[in-house]
Amino acid sequence: MAEHYCKQLPSYLLLTRNVMKTGYLKDEKLLTSIQINICDLVSEIGRESEFVIYNNRMKISNECKKEYLERLIKIEELVFVKDNDYGYHAVSTIFNNIELAKLEIKTTNKEDVVISCFNNIINAVKYIVNFKPHKIQSPFMNNIECTKICGYSSVLGNLKNNILKELNKDYFNQYTNYEEYMMLLNIVNKIK
């Protein structure tokens, strides 16, 4: 009866059916439902955060955007990433780290932070280049099968060129001779 009435609630109520199911599911089905809820919640936080990070309608400082993005990346890494298994979140990891590197260059321009972003992008791109369907390793996602690389269709359609377009912007001119930047371009060019 609970499921019957729950299904009649508006679909925009986030995770209503999944949350309701956790009341009566058990074992593997319960774990899978919880993991899907966690994934959906963190993904929704990421989508909503784009208004703070990328949207010019909001007047906040680059320092604030940078801190916001740093924290968002930490949350996503905690939930989704283990041993360079990015599950369904490699593409968001790439573009969040590109944006973080740009914000770092605009604000304090700490070389070690920018290089760290490059290394994070390298690892996520390696995951994409070597991708095979698998069960995700993260304890928060280890009941979920990852069957493909996901992300916005506008980005995925031409992923390699979209990444290269970002990396070739003027922000990165001072880093083009760095070993990490060159390694990054090399691995991005291996995306099919």
Side-chain angles (χ1 to χ4, degrees):
M1 186 178 280
E3 188 167 8
H4 169 77
Y5 286 109
C6 188
K7 286 179 179 176
Q8 295 179 38
L9 291 168
S11 60
Y12 61 80
L13 293 177
L14 182 64
L15 309 173
T16 305
R17 272 181 231 142
N18 288 338
V19 170
M20 186 273 307
K21 286 180 183 177
T22 61
Y24 64 84
L25 292 176
K26 293 192 267 184
D27 302 324
E28 291 287 313
K29 288 183 180 181
L30 176 59
L31 181 58
T32 301
S33 180
I34 290 169
Q35 290 183 354
I36 289 169
N37 287 335
I38 291 168
C39 183
D40 287 348
L41 176 62
V42 175
S43 295
E44 190 63 24
I45 290 169
R47 279 189 291 277
E48 292 295 323
S49 295
E50 290 175 5
F51 286 104
V52 174
I53 299 162
Y54 299 104
N55 195 316
N56 291 328
R57 292 181 295 166
M58 297 185 80
K59 302 295 181 209
I60 61 173
S61 69
N62 285 330
E63 290 82 4
C64 182
K65 285 182 181 182
K66 186 180 128 209
E67 182 179 355
Y68 195 100
L69 186 52
E70 287 169 336
R71 290 171 184 260
L72 177 63
I73 289 170
K74 285 179 186 176
I75 292 168
E76 290 182 340
E77 284 176 349
L78 172 69
V79 174
F80 299 124
V81 182
K82 181 181 177 193
D83 298 333
N84 293 324
D85 179 358
Y86 292 84
Y88 288 106
H89 292 84
V91 173
S92 63
T93 297
I94 291 167
F95 287 98
N96 283 344
N97 275 280
I98 289 172
E99 188 63 24
L100 181 57
K102 288 194 282 189
L103 287 167
E104 179 59 40
I105 291 166
K106 288 180 191 177
T107 56
T108 58
N109 200 11
K110 292 181 183 168
E111 180 181 300
D112 60 325
V113 175
V114 176
I115 298 304
S116 177
C117 290
F118 290 163
N119 286 323
N120 291 338
I121 300 165
I122 288 168
N123 289 332
V125 172
K126 283 180 181 177
Y127 171 81
I128 290 171
V129 168
N130 298 311
F131 181 81
K132 291 178 179 64
H134 65 287
K135 214 163 220 193
I136 299 174
Q137 293 181 35
S138 164
F140 289 100
M141 301 287 110
N142 64 5
N143 232 39
I144 299 174
E145 185 76 26
C146 185
T147 57
K148 62 183 178 178
I149 300 297
C150 288
Y152 294 120
S153 56
S154 60
V155 173
L156 283 179
N158 201 350
L159 184 59
K160 176 173 39 176
N161 288 334
N162 286 326
I163 296 170
L164 290 173
K165 183 170 97 176
E166 288 297 315
L167 294 174
N168 286 311
K169 290 188 174 174
D170 291 343
Y171 295 108
F172 300 113
N173 284 348
Q174 62 189 326
Y175 290 95
T176 56
N177 292 326
Y178 282 62
E179 178 184 349
E180 293 83 359
Y181 182 85
M182 291 185 279
M183 284 173 47
L184 178 52
L185 293 181
N186 184 37
I187 192 74
V188 168
N189 279 309
K190 292 182 182 179
I191 297 176
K192 294 177 184 168

